[in-house]
Amino acid sequence: MSEQGPEPGPELEIVHLLRKVTVEFGLRQAEFAALHHMHSTDVRALICLLDAGRAGTDATAGWLGAQLGLNSAGTTAVIDRLERLGHLTRTRDPRDRRRVLLAVDERAVELGWAFFGPLIENIVAVLRDFDEQETAAVRRFLLAAHRAVTAIP
Amino acid sequence: MSEQGPEPGPELEIVHLLRKVTVEFGLRQAEFAALHHMHSTDVRALICLLDAGRAGTDATAGWLGAQLGLNSAGTTAVIDRLERLGHLTRTRDPRDRRRVLLAVDERAVELGWAFFGPLIENIVAVLRDFDEQETAAVRRFLLAAHRAVTAIP
DNA sequence: TCTATTGTCTCGCTGAGCGAGATAATATTC
DNA sequence: GAATATTATCTCGCTCAGCGAGACAATAGA
């Protein structure tokens, strides 16, 4: 296997490390899904909805489908599954009665925290030991990584 | 949406940032898959195989299935698809003729670099501007995140 | 040699997600 | 204000990824 691309230096090692983290995180997500009789897509949907709540966006079915990259049929299926499990409530938007507003059930949020909370706490704990400059470096790196990975060339 | 778990501080912001990076990275992977008539699993498989090559592990069908969390039938299907696309070669291991060794085609590696290379280069470029301590902080953070996300409680 | 055990593959099935189109509510045009 | 276009969601039928069960071949152990 001849090494392609840039020479393997300390920078590349960090990129590989970042990739490993993303891979493992995906696996934990899949475990959480299986544990609660869901699929990865369902978990991703819940995360999107929680983000929307945090950002004050109102989450409609169509919006969710766009976030997940699903078409309308697939989106309906995801919502059906989550509703059947009681993790979600459909409400018709009274202002525009075509739209369906989605609300995550409180219990689903608790399930998420029970699973991911300790994991997040671990990372947060590490960060608390970082001084100002180190935290800044991490933030700068992640912002750059996000920009690099979001760029549409 | 009442904020659960730890109070939202600068540490949590970084965790969210990390999660965003992982999500976007997954989307890029899916784009790459679609672009080359593959599925996410197929791309994950190729990545596993490349990692195995880098680490000197010989990649058999069973090993790959374990990495991907697929059963033997699903694993055979992945390998069939990749072989049909010419990204992979099956070889019976002469030492143990039950085993099938998998080798990634050079052209598939090139496709990967064409897509992910620029993205990786961007991140590497940012890291080159970091001084010793900043790089160390990023590495320490990622190692901790990896440990936190790999831990089996 | 005869019997486990291991590694891969085949078959049939379930179900996630797609395309096409139905339905209902809102916006626009005359 | 009726007629038409657009938007948001859902229904139906289909394809194909991945699963369980089991077949088959090669190796390991008695």
Side-chain angles (χ1 to χ4, degrees):
Chain A
M1 188 79 39
S2 70
E3 190 68 44
Q4 283 246 6
E7 93 294 344
E11 291 94 359
L12 251 194
E13 181 220 333
I14 288 190
V15 175
H16 269 121
L17 210 48
L18 175 59
R19 186 171 58 72
K20 274 190 189 172
V21 171
T22 74
V23 168
E24 288 296 328
F25 190 77
L27 291 178
R28 289 301 86 72
Q29 209 167 284
E31 276 171 23
F32 175 74
L35 185 60
H36 294 101
H37 311 100
M38 291 190 276
H39 301 265
S40 287
T41 304
D42 304 340
V43 179
R44 285 174 53 213
L46 287 176
I47 293 176
C48 284
L49 293 175
L50 293 177
D51 285 347
R54 211 173 289 123
T57 320
D58 38 328
T60 66
W63 175 87
L64 178 63
Q67 298 298 308
L68 297 174
L70 297 181
N71 77 356
S72 64
T75 305
T76 300
V78 174
I79 298 173
D80 282 349
R81 292 196 299 269
L82 288 173
E83 196 180 36
R84 201 177 312 129
L85 288 169
H87 295 333
L88 200 75
T89 322
R90 272 182 169 102
T91 326
R92 285 231 101 95
D93 186 343
R95 293 167 180 275
D96 180 344
R97 306 235 321 267
R98 293 168 302 180
R99 308 206 306 168
V100 167
L101 296 175
L102 306 171
V104 179
D105 187 89
E106 197 58 34
R107 243 183 66 70
V109 178
E110 284 163 24
L111 291 179
W113 270 110
F115 190 92
F116 290 108
L119 189 155
I120 293 174
E121 263 305 346
N122 277 350
I123 302 180
V124 166
V126 171
L127 284 170
R128 279 204 240 277
D129 282 346
F130 278 39
D131 64 33
E132 198 73 30
Q133 282 148 27
E134 291 172 317
T135 311
V138 171
R139 180 182 297 109
R140 192 146 66 88
F141 169 72
L142 288 178
L143 282 171
H146 187 255
R147 218 175 311 118
V149 122
T150 308
I152 305 167
Chain B
M1 188 76 41
S2 70
E3 188 68 46
Q4 283 248 8
E7 91 297 342
E11 291 93 359
L12 251 196
E13 180 219 333
I14 287 188
V15 175
H16 269 122
L17 210 47
L18 175 60
R19 186 171 56 73
K20 275 190 189 173
V21 171
T22 74
V23 168
E24 287 296 327
F25 190 76
L27 291 178
R28 291 299 87 69
Q29 209 168 285
E31 277 171 22
F32 175 74
L35 185 62
H36 294 102
H37 311 100
M38 291 191 275
H39 301 265
S40 287
T41 303
D42 304 340
V43 179
R44 285 174 54 213
L46 286 176
I47 292 176
C48 283
L49 293 174
L50 292 177
D51 284 347
R54 211 172 290 121
T57 319
D58 38 329
T60 66
W63 174 87
L64 179 62
Q67 298 299 309
L68 298 176
L70 297 181
N71 76 357
S72 65
T75 305
T76 300
V78 174
I79 297 172
D80 282 349
R81 290 196 299 269
L82 288 173
E83 195 179 37
R84 201 176 315 127
L85 287 168
H87 295 331
L88 201 75
T89 321
R90 273 182 168 101
T91 327
R92 284 232 101 95
D93 186 342
R95 293 168 180 274
D96 181 344
R97 304 236 321 269
R98 292 168 301 181
R99 309 206 307 167
V100 166
L101 296 175
L102 305 171
V104 178
D105 187 89
E106 197 57 36
R107 243 181 67 70
V109 178
E110 285 164 23
L111 290 180
W113 269 111
F115 190 92
F116 291 108
L119 190 154
I120 293 174
E121 261 307 342
N122 277 349
I123 302 180
V124 167
V126 171
L127 284 169
R128 278 204 241 279
D129 281 347
F130 278 39
D131 64 31
E132 199 72 31
Q133 282 148 27
E134 292 172 317
T135 310
V138 172
R139 180 181 299 109
R140 193 145 65 89
F141 169 72
L142 288 178
L143 282 171
H146 186 255
R147 217 174 312 118
V149 122
T150 308
I152 305 169

